[in-house]
Amino acid sequence: MPTNNPSRIAEILARHQQAILEDWLLAQLAAFSARHNLISEADLRRQSADFIGIFGTACQAGTLTDIATPAWQPVRDFLASISRSRASQGFSPSETATFVFSLKQPLFAHIRQELAANAESLADEMWTATVLIDKLGLYTTELFQTAREEVIKRQQMEMLELSTPVVKLWDGILAVPLIGTLDSARTQVVMESLLQSIVDTGSNIAIVDITGVPTVDTLIAQNLLKTAAAARLMGAQCIICGIRPQIAQTMVHLGVAFGEVVTRATLADALAFAFREIGCTVSRQAPRN
Amino acid sequence: MERIPILLVGEFLLVSIQVDLHDRLALALQDDLTTEVVKVRAKGVLIDISSLEIVDSFIGRVLGNIAALTAMLGANAVVVGMRPAVAITIVELGLDLSCLRTAINVDQGMAMLRLLLRPVASQGSDESAEK
């Protein structure tokens, strides 16, 4: 059975390629009627024609039961590029899968036409085609999901970098305003970018402002201490500021201490301390006008 | 066997580590440095590790030891130019180097040594006066 089945489907595909393509396009256009802004009809036609061509070749060359064989490599590659582009264009998973699944109807119609006389082989061919297209559809969905996850991961990385700006407050004074929860991954990024900035600017004071950190638990305190210790090893002093009264209370209740690291209530206090450390004075003059 | 050069600059010794600091070399440096401190009666030691890319717990401990040894011999040790990756590694290894004096670069390290020298010099003269 597996030996004569593929030949029939491949043969039907080859003979009715144009007709199947037209029917398939109609089905897809109906499904994507609301999505004309995402993909043009010409693009859809080109993609579908390409796919039918590659699909037909693969049907003739390989077994129809296993799409992991080398004969199906071009089909897999093509589907991979389709799902990746659909994922970035903003299609939903079901819409992407529809690209493959909508091929069923026109293909079945032609199989039925061809094999109307032989009920048994018709059922066999139908079954083979269903299994095959289901596999391809699932493969597409899987790839679509992977592509989406890649996008999410990249955005996470970008957010990490965006969320840790190191600013230069004065000659020799750096500041990092931290906003949001500090997990280990973020601490790592904060630490690295802060230490790199210390090297680049030759600063000897780094102010870490935690006004935007909602809660400080033992883990976060430990992470902050690590950052301070690393900065000290490089020859810079770390000042932690922006500790709100409630947070200070919680920390004392938890028994969390920053040890030898200098802490201040506000960024202004920290800056005043930093000025004293580097020997700068801020004086008040009579205001202009 | 290769050695790390120790340069005398004024009253201070300057050590710039430009090669891969493997364990034997680190121990040799520790020996040479203590000998040299005693020989020239140096008041301060400046160790530039800005070219040091890899550090392990042993090297970290040797750095701490050098600081402790030179302090015992009456000289201040300042480690300058530690790279971010090295600093993170030492912190993650959990090495306690709080006894180690650090500075950003050689320039600031020198300034720190000069600052440290003043009280030390006056203490030294006090002691000699008592005798």
Side-chain angles (χ1 to χ4, degrees):
Chain A
M1 193 173 78
T3 44
N4 66 354
N5 269 351
S7 61
R8 288 298 287 168
I9 289 182
E11 182 197 321
I12 291 166
L13 251 178
R15 195 153 0 120
H16 300 285
Q17 189 167 350
Q18 203 51 42
I20 291 176
L21 175 62
E22 290 304 326
D23 289 351
W24 185 30
L25 267 174
L26 280 179
Q28 285 191 75
L29 286 173
F32 291 145
S33 56
R35 294 298 219 163
H36 279 312
N37 52 337
L38 289 182
I39 188 163
S40 70
E41 197 182 325
D43 279 347
L44 196 61
R45 174 175 286 273
R46 191 171 40 75
Q47 286 178 351
S48 307
D50 287 352
F51 181 73
I52 287 262
I54 301 171
F55 183 61
T57 321
C59 281
Q60 274 164 0
T63 56
L64 293 184
T65 43
D66 186 11
I67 61 162
T69 51
W72 288 88
Q73 185 64 40
V75 178
R76 289 203 305 270
D77 290 348
F78 186 77
L79 284 178
S81 77
I82 289 266
S83 3
R84 204 156 292 140
S85 67
R86 297 275 159 113
S88 55
Q89 278 167 340
F91 280 89
S92 74
S94 58
E95 279 165 343
T96 310
T98 304
F99 175 74
V100 176
F101 285 134
S102 57
L103 177 60
K104 261 188 194 178
Q105 204 185 359
L107 185 61
F108 285 6
H110 283 93
I111 293 176
R112 197 182 312 135
Q113 258 177 29
E114 282 288 315
L115 302 172
N118 189 343
E120 196 173 316
S121 87
L122 174 65
D124 284 347
E125 295 288 8
M126 285 282 207
W127 176 244
T128 317
T130 308
V131 171
L132 175 64
I133 291 185
D134 283 354
K135 273 182 189 162
L136 290 175
L138 283 175
Y139 181 71
T140 316
T141 318
E142 215 166 88
L143 284 173
F144 178 87
Q145 209 63 31
T146 322
R148 273 289 177 83
E149 275 159 19
E150 277 169 16
V151 171
I152 293 174
K153 233 174 249 167
R154 204 185 59 235
Q155 284 173 344
Q156 263 177 345
M157 285 305 296
E158 279 167 8
M159 244 169 72
L160 265 183
E161 279 165 23
L162 285 178
S163 62
T164 52
V166 180
V167 291
K168 184 175 173 176
L169 282 187
W170 203 262
D171 218 20
I173 305 177
L174 291 178
V176 200
L178 290 179
I179 293 166
T181 319
L182 271 182
D183 53 9
S184 328
R186 266 197 77 193
T187 315
Q188 191 73 21
V189 176
V190 171
M191 208 194 259
E192 277 168 19
S193 54
L194 177 63
L195 298 188
Q196 193 54 52
S197 308
I198 288 176
V199 176
D200 293 344
T201 61
S203 306
N204 32 24
I205 297 209
I207 301 176
V208 181
D209 180 59
I210 57 167
T211 314
V213 180
T215 50
V216 176
D217 56 14
T218 41
L219 190 71
I220 293 176
Q222 202 197 351
N223 285 338
L224 285 171
L225 277 178
K226 272 186 188 170
T227 311
R232 204 198 65 80
L233 278 176
M234 290 180 51
Q237 189 182 3
C238 224
I239 305 171
I240 296 173
C241 69
I243 305 165
R244 278 175 278 141
Q246 308 95 300
I247 289 184
Q249 283 191 25
T250 330
M251 285 174 62
V252 171
H253 278 302
L254 283 173
V256 180
F258 279 131
E260 290 173 13
V261 181
V262 178
T263 52
R264 286 291 180 270
T266 62
L267 185 61
D269 291 343
L271 187 60
F273 176 83
F275 276 147
R276 251 201 321 281
E277 283 291 301
I278 62 169
C280 272
T281 50
V282 183
S283 62
R284 195 183 289 272
Q285 285 183 336
R288 276 196 281 180
N289 301 328
Chain B
M1 191 186 141
E2 58 175 339
R3 300 244 166 204
I4 291 173
I6 301 169
L7 315 170
L8 182 65
V9 183
E11 326 173 71
F12 309 128
L13 290 177
L14 176 64
V15 181
S16 184
I17 298 170
Q18 308 275 354
V19 291
D20 228 9
L21 196 61
H22 53 80
D23 293 4
R24 282 233 303 226
L25 196 56
L27 286 177
L29 174 68
Q30 188 178 313
D31 284 346
D32 291 352
L33 201 55
T34 41
T35 319
E36 197 70 13
V37 165
V38 173
K39 200 168 93 187
V40 305
R41 295 170 65 201
K43 293 286 180 286
V45 176
L46 199 74
I47 305 168
D48 172 34
I49 57 166
S50 54
S51 307
L52 193 66
E53 285 179 6
I54 299 163
V55 78
D56 56 11
S57 53
F58 183 79
I59 301 295
R61 202 150 53 87
V62 168
L63 285 177
N65 283 350
I66 288 177
L69 282 167
T70 48
M72 196 172 277
L73 297 170
N76 296 297
V78 179
V79 171
V80 302
M82 193 183 288
R83 288 174 174 238
V86 173
I88 292 174
T89 310
I90 289 180
V91 171
E92 293 295 338
L93 284 173
L95 290 176
D96 182 28
L97 293 182
S98 50
C99 58
L100 201 67
R101 281 197 192 83
T102 50
I104 296 278
N105 49 36
V106 176
D107 192 40
Q108 294 201 10
M110 277 289 182
M112 185 187 254
L113 277 180
R114 286 198 196 98
L115 210 68
L116 286 167
L117 197 58
R118 268 182 268 160
V120 168
S122 63
Q123 267 174 25
S125 58
D126 287 349
E127 275 170 21
S128 54
E130 277 168 25
K131 281 175 191 170

